[in-house]
Amino acid sequence: MTINLNNPGELNRTNVRQLLAAGRDDIDVELRVTDNGIVFLSEVTGPERMGGICFRIGGMNTDAHDREFIGPNSAAMTDDNLVNQVLRTIAKYWEIKPNSRFADLEPYLHSSEPDM
């Protein structure tokens, strides 16, 4: 599964949740966004094979509070705040097109804070 950032409305909570759920939970993966605005889960992690990549988001499992973030039984399936955290990060870094190709996840918002 991919998300095309050039299609208005495609970057939303449902699609981000589906993308995260579609990933394998038995290997390390990271979110990558191509220069053309395609968001996908990559089995290549770290600074390898960065040609055509605008930015990457790694370390998501560490932000899932010791729960798996990727996969069909992951925290993303039940925790809207974690999904929003990823959604906000993608939106922010796609808008600014950073010089660095590594994107830090936006802060975790607790349920009393507004989401997207």
Side-chain angles (χ1 to χ4, degrees):
M1 176 180 183
T2 62
I3 297 171
N4 186 341
L5 299 177
N6 298 301
N7 290 340
E10 199 164 312
L11 180 62
N12 60 53
R13 186 185 305 165
T14 299
N15 288 345
V16 170
R17 186 184 316 278
Q18 289 175 351
L19 177 63
L20 296 173
R24 292 179 54 189
D25 60 3
D26 60 335
I27 60 171
D28 287 335
V29 295
E30 68 183 14
L31 267 173
R32 289 185 172 207
V33 179
T34 69
D35 292 335
N36 295 326
I38 304 300
V39 182
F40 68 100
L41 285 173
S42 174
E43 293 179 10
V44 177
T45 61
E48 290 78 33
R49 295 191 223 162
M50 293 297 292
I53 301 297
C54 182
F55 63 91
R56 64 187 181 90
I57 305 171
M60 289 185 293
N61 279 340
T62 60
D63 289 306
H65 307 287
D66 297 324
R67 296 177 288 165
E68 289 297 320
F69 202 98
I70 305 294
N73 298 312
S74 66
M77 296 307 298
T78 57
D79 191 333
D80 287 342
N81 293 321
L82 288 172
V83 173
N84 284 335
Q85 184 180 23
V86 173
L87 192 153
R88 287 190 325 272
T89 302
I90 294 168
K92 174 184 173 180
Y93 282 89
W94 179 245
E95 181 178 332
I96 65 173
K97 311 269 190 316
N99 290 331
S100 169
R101 292 188 178 203
F102 183 78
D104 290 320
L105 273 173
E106 289 294 293
Y108 182 87
L109 294 180
H110 298 281
S111 60
S112 63
E113 299 178 63
D115 62 11
M116 293 187 79

